[in-house]
């Protein structure tokens, strides 16, 4: 029953991307013009384009937290602590609305970062949507009768393939252009490794792997710094 | 000082694949003909081909346990509990040697499974070597300045890119034919997803993701069964 949100001061839309877009006009009939509205959708260009027309006080959010699990039983009190939350204001966003939404996320322990919806979707296509594509593709690749020999390597690299497929279909479709480009970049990298293997080019292979390892190491460092910057 | 292994009843070679092959002739000068010899290399065809000529009582092993971490400080007492250990006997392997090596792994809590060296290398190219290729390639793909926006999805899918690069160069090079084929299968799956994205084919995309999700779920089930079959 959506009537529960009548008279609310703030509404956070936490649904699959297309549901957010579909439900927005319905919600706008129930809340006042002053109501603060944000969402937690994983793509921002389409949502911001549509919702900023519907709600005078809207700003898109994307908290970079959560897991492959879904449903109320997976709720976690400290989910947002030491996480990053991307906010995607537009030229039309009022300073007051931005300040309030920023404060909301900071209260939950997240660090707020501003990006344009366009930059958000491009960056996320690489750091989040592509890893999901790769996990789904990897699971499709491994023959079923080989699965009993799978150890932690395959399990970790494909854990996010446990994510709700409908949720990800919607994310992929609302960011398809960026995602196609990101997949092409991944294909180019796979092709490089394949080339080095075919020519048994040890030196080239070593360079590729070592550079990847160092970059991954810098990712660990980044997480540590983030935690230090947000002490309790 | 290798002299420490003089008079040993059993030797386990736990080194990078090529080091195992290089050190084998040296070891064979130090141990008696009766010495049981096994190894824990991640590819088996080349190792078994060479070491079974050098040692009369050799059998290849590949315990499917461990992580991206290396070094004595990462030692774990219960590392092999509830894990699988692949043994790769040949037609020339004596029953007694097989029984003893099997007993060794079972004592450590592992379940022993027999495969030919050839089957081992093919299966592992999909369940272990390909996920590593994909993790290294994914890290190479993500632009450096996007890394601060990486959350758990990218971290999990690329954790194994933290593995020692020299170790993996040697694994990849000693299994390059199978691995090239596995990479090509992954490329075909990526291409399917890309095609569905380009044509905005929602139904096809949903089917691909849902099948991948279910397969990944069956992987979770398999781990649970394995643990049940090996109760403490």
């Amino acid at each position: 029953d959506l009537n529960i949100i009548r008279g609310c001061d703030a509404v956070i839309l936490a649904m699959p991307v297309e549901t957010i877009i579909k439900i927005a006009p319905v919600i706008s009939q129930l809340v006042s013009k002053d109501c603060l509205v944000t969402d937690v959708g994983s793509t921002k260009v389409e949502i911001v384009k549509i919702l900023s027309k519907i709600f005078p006080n809207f700003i898109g959010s994307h908290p970079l937290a959560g897991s492959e699990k879904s449903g109320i039983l997976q709720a976690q009190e400290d989910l947002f602590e030491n996480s990053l939350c991307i906010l995607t204001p537009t030229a039309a966003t009022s300073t007051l609305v931005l300040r309030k939404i920023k404060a909301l996320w900071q209260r939950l322990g997240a660090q707020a970062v501003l990006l344009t919806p366009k930059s958000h979707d491009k960056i996320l296509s690489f750091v989040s949507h592509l890893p999901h594509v790769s996990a789904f593709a990897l699971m499709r690749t491994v023959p079923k009768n080989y699965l009993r020999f799978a150890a932690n390597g395959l399990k970790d690299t494909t854990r996010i393939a446990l994510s709700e497929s409908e949720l990800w279909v919607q994310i992929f479709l609302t960011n398809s252009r960026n995602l196609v480009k990101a997949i092409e970049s991944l294909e180019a990298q796979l092709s490089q490794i394949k080339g080095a293997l075919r020519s048994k080019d040890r030196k080239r292979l070593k360079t590729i792997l070592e550079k990847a390892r160092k970059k991954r190491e810098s990712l660990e460092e980044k997480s540590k710094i983030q935690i230090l910057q947000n002490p309790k």
Side-chain angles (χ1 to χ4, degrees), chain A:
Chain A
D1 183 11
L2 282 174
N3 278 309
I4 201 169
I5 63 165
R6 275 184 201 278
C8 277
D9 295 319
V11 170
I12 301 170
L13 302 171
M15 303 138 187
V17 178
E18 291 172 351
T19 311
I20 291 173
I21 292 170
K22 258 180 234 156
I23 213 167
V26 185
I27 304 263
S28 75
Q29 301 299 312
L30 302 170
V31 297
S32 80
K33 299 248 165 214
D34 297 331
C35 183
L36 278 179
V37 180
T38 190
D39 76 296
V40 297
S42 293
T43 55
K44 297 266 73 99
V45 170
E46 289 204 25
I47 287 178
V48 173
K49 195 170 64 188
I50 295 165
L51 270 67
S52 58
K53 278 180 203 151
I54 295 175
F55 302 106
N57 294 329
F58 171 79
I59 186 167
S61 304
H62 184 195
L64 304 180
S67 74
E68 75 285 3
K69 291 167 187 152
S70 57
I72 191 75
L73 291 175
Q74 305 299 337
Q76 233 183 283
E77 207 182 348
D78 59 353
L79 180 64
F80 300 109
E81 292 201 16
N82 298 316
S83 72
L84 224 55
C85 181
I86 301 173
L87 303 183
T88 58
T90 65
T93 310
S94 89
T95 330
L96 184 66
V97 171
L98 178 57
R99 209 193 307 146
K100 282 185 174 171
I101 297 288
K102 223 170 153 175
L104 167 78
W105 289 112
Q106 283 166 347
R107 272 286 188 97
L108 294 169
Q111 188 189 337
V113 190
L114 309 189
L115 286 177
T116 63
K118 211 178 148 185
S119 298
H120 169 278
D121 284 8
K122 193 178 173 193
I123 293 171
L124 270 286
S125 73
F126 279 92
V127 299
S128 166
H129 311 165
L130 183 64
H132 280 81
V133 164
S134 133
F136 287 119
L138 208 45
M139 272 325 293
R140 296 271 288 162
T141 306
V142 180
K144 215 171 183 174
N145 53 331
Y146 290 5
L147 288 182
R148 66 174 294 222
F149 299 104
N152 288 331
L154 183 69
K155 279 180 198 160
D156 287 350
T157 47
T158 60
R159 183 185 58 80
I160 54 178
L162 287 167
S163 308
E164 225 183 283
S165 57
E166 181 52 34
L167 193 73
W168 284 91
V169 165
Q170 296 187 15
I171 292 169
F172 289 174
L173 286 176
T174 52
N175 200 17
S176 60
R177 266 194 207 188
N178 286 319
L179 190 48
V180 164
K181 276 186 209 158
I183 294 173
E184 281 167 351
S185 303
L186 177 62
E187 287 173 327
Q189 292 300 333
L190 288 172
S191 181
Q192 270 193 26
I193 294 176
K194 212 172 54 178
L197 282 172
R198 275 203 179 118
S199 55
K200 299 242 175 201
D201 189 339
R202 177 183 301 267
K203 208 180 145 195
R204 195 167 153 221
L205 199 55
K206 172 84 181 185
T207 306
I208 294 172
L209 267 50
E210 189 53 25
K211 278 191 181 164
R213 196 192 60 72
K214 282 204 178 126
K215 210 163 164 190
R216 181 59 180 78
E217 226 167 52
S218 79
L219 191 54
E220 292 292 295
E221 293 309 311
K222 277 190 179 60
S223 322
K224 275 181 211 153
I225 291 164
Q226 211 165 290
I227 288 165
L228 286 174
Q229 282 175 339
N230 279 338
K232 290 280 301 178

